[in-house]
Amino acid sequence: MLNITAKQRKEEEIHALFTEIQKIQDRNSLEYKKLFQKIYTPIWDWALICFKEEDVRLAGVEIFHCIKRTLHNYKENSTSYVGYLYSCLENEIRHVKERGELKKFRMCTRDEYNRAVQLINTANRIGKDPSNENVQQWLAKQSGLTIDEVKDLIVKYYQSQIVDEQIKNAAEVEEETSIFETDAVENNYLTPEEELYKIEYALEDLKKIEAAFDGCQTRQKEWLNTFITLRVLQVLEMNFLKKQIMELLENRNFIDLILLQDFINHNKLPEQAELAARIGKDEGSVSNTIKTFFGKIQKNNPEISTV
């Protein structure tokens, strides 16, 4: 049920902070950056009132950048800033949901994708079409897989490519797109200000993860750090370059350094089930533990953006 009173209080707080921000000419000033960080919190609380909580949390990173764009792009007209903000956030959340729906159709797990790429690269090296049945029989002999396994991996790979193209096209529908829907996701085209915000918020989130890890039992820490590292790397690899990831994580108390180094060297992450089997843990139990761990962090810190 919509809490009208709480919604109005948040809107008043947002409007007051927005008025202060509008008075600042230098967007690179420390004052502007502090106010930007300050206005993010009431907007997040307001968004949780206006939209479904699950949708807001799934779009957390995109919402952060959407807020930044509204502060830069808003021009006074018949629509108030809050009204303009609502429309932009509504579009952003819808885009995230649409991309999520498309991703449900992906037929490839990460492990299957990597294995399929190896098969396709092997075929390409000898100038052969991996879709050709004779070539697939040869690939089966080379890889030790059955012909059916080779066919299945190659089909899933190409299905995944089609879905990826659909996701890319969906992201290009609107002119005003999120920074995370473009090539800038590789961090190649970020302005210094955008890079500062990304790193700053990542550092804050990592501190919260460290604090939560400190509170875990010693026996649990011995294996929990591996799966926390995996989850964090899965998020950071979408938003940062390898060098930045290494700098962000190398001295963290929860990091599995072997897994981190393996990722840096080979640009490949194992599946959670694979890691669980490797250390003799039940994957279902691991999944529930990790979900609980990050769930507590997010409950205590609703603004957290990297988990």
Side-chain angles (χ1 to χ4, degrees):
M1 182 176 178
L2 184 65
N3 188 329
I4 301 298
T5 303
K7 178 174 176 289
Q8 289 176 340
R9 282 202 303 266
K10 289 299 175 184
E11 288 176 354
E12 290 170 1
E13 187 177 351
I14 292 166
H15 178 72
L17 287 169
F18 176 72
T19 302
E20 288 185 54
I21 288 173
Q22 289 294 90
K23 295 176 182 177
I24 301 173
Q25 298 297 319
D26 183 6
R27 291 178 177 176
N28 291 318
S29 67
L30 181 60
E31 184 182 7
Y32 178 87
K33 291 175 182 178
K34 285 183 176 179
L35 281 174
F36 175 81
Q37 292 176 354
K38 192 174 182 180
I39 200 173
Y40 177 82
T41 300
I43 290 178
W44 177 268
D45 293 339
W46 175 75
L48 288 171
I49 296 171
C50 296
F51 305 100
K52 289 183 179 179
E53 181 176 340
E54 181 182 0
D55 293 345
V56 173
R57 297 199 185 284
L58 286 173
V61 175
E62 289 84 353
I63 285 174
F64 170 75
H65 285 274
C66 183
I67 293 168
K68 181 170 177 284
R69 292 196 308 276
T70 63
L71 293 172
H72 286 179
N73 299 338
Y74 175 74
K75 293 179 175 59
E76 290 187 19
N77 50 38
S78 57
T79 303
S80 67
Y81 171 70
V82 171
Y84 173 70
L85 175 65
Y86 181 91
S87 297
C88 292
L89 291 183
E90 184 178 41
N91 283 334
E92 196 72 40
I93 290 169
R94 176 171 54 82
H95 291 162
V96 172
K97 287 181 68 177
E98 287 173 352
R99 294 198 302 279
E101 288 301 315
L102 280 171
K103 286 177 183 176
K104 290 178 182 177
F105 292 100
R106 273 204 175 100
M107 301 299 291
C108 263
T109 64
R110 182 185 292 273
D111 179 60
E112 288 172 331
Y113 180 88
N114 289 333
R115 290 162 64 197
V117 168
Q118 289 176 352
L119 292 172
I120 289 167
N121 286 343
T122 299
N124 289 338
R125 278 196 294 271
I126 60 171
K128 299 296 183 181
D129 179 5
S131 299
N132 181 281
E133 187 170 351
N134 290 333
V135 176
Q136 290 177 354
Q137 290 176 350
W138 179 79
L139 287 171
K141 293 177 181 178
Q142 296 296 313
S143 63
L145 300 172
T146 67
I147 181 65
D148 288 337
E149 287 174 330
V150 170
K151 287 180 177 179
D152 184 57
L153 285 170
I154 290 174
V155 167
K156 285 181 176 180
Y157 171 83
Y158 285 121
Q159 286 174 329
S160 179
Q161 297 304 295
I162 292 170
V163 172
D164 283 341
E165 186 63 28
Q166 289 175 321
I167 292 171
K168 181 181 177 182
N169 291 338
E172 293 173 350
V173 170
E174 297 289 337
E175 181 178 351
E176 185 183 58
T177 56
S178 164
I179 193 74
F180 291 95
E181 297 170 16
T182 68
D183 289 336
V185 71
E186 297 297 337
N187 219 35
N188 294 329
Y189 306 108
L190 293 182
T191 66
E193 185 183 51
E194 287 168 336
E195 187 168 334
L196 171 66
Y197 283 135
K198 283 182 68 177
I199 292 174
E200 196 170 294
Y201 272 78
L203 287 171
E204 286 300 313
D205 291 351
L206 291 170
K207 286 178 184 177
K208 291 162 188 172
I209 294 172
E210 281 191 303
F213 185 73
D214 280 338
C216 295
Q217 296 179 356
T218 302
R219 183 180 299 177
Q220 189 181 44
K221 288 180 181 179
E222 293 175 358
W223 61 268
L224 184 60
N225 70 323
T226 298
F227 297 96
I228 296 174
T229 302
L230 176 64
R231 175 70 67 87
V232 171
L233 284 174
Q234 287 170 339
V235 174
L236 293 183
E237 71 168 334
M238 296 186 293
N239 303 320
F240 294 95
L241 298 174
K242 279 186 179 181
K243 181 181 178 182
Q244 293 171 314
I245 292 174
M246 194 68 180
E247 290 173 351
L248 284 168
L249 297 183
E250 60 183 344
N251 295 317
R252 300 291 168 183
N253 64 357
F254 60 83
I255 285 298
D256 181 329
L257 291 175
I258 295 176
L259 181 57
L260 174 60
Q261 195 61 57
D262 190 55
F263 167 72
I264 296 298
N265 291 339
H266 303 105
N267 197 30
K268 178 183 175 183
L269 287 171
E271 294 290 320
Q272 182 171 281
E274 179 187 337
L275 277 181
R278 194 183 299 172
I279 65 174
K281 290 287 181 181
D282 176 69
E283 201 274 332
S285 175
V286 166
S287 182
N288 289 334
T289 302
I290 290 297
K291 184 177 180 180
T292 300
F293 178 83
F294 283 104
K296 287 180 180 178
I297 296 174
Q298 198 162 48
K299 182 178 180 181
N300 295 329
N301 307 279
E303 76 285 357
I304 196 166
S305 61
T306 62
V307 296

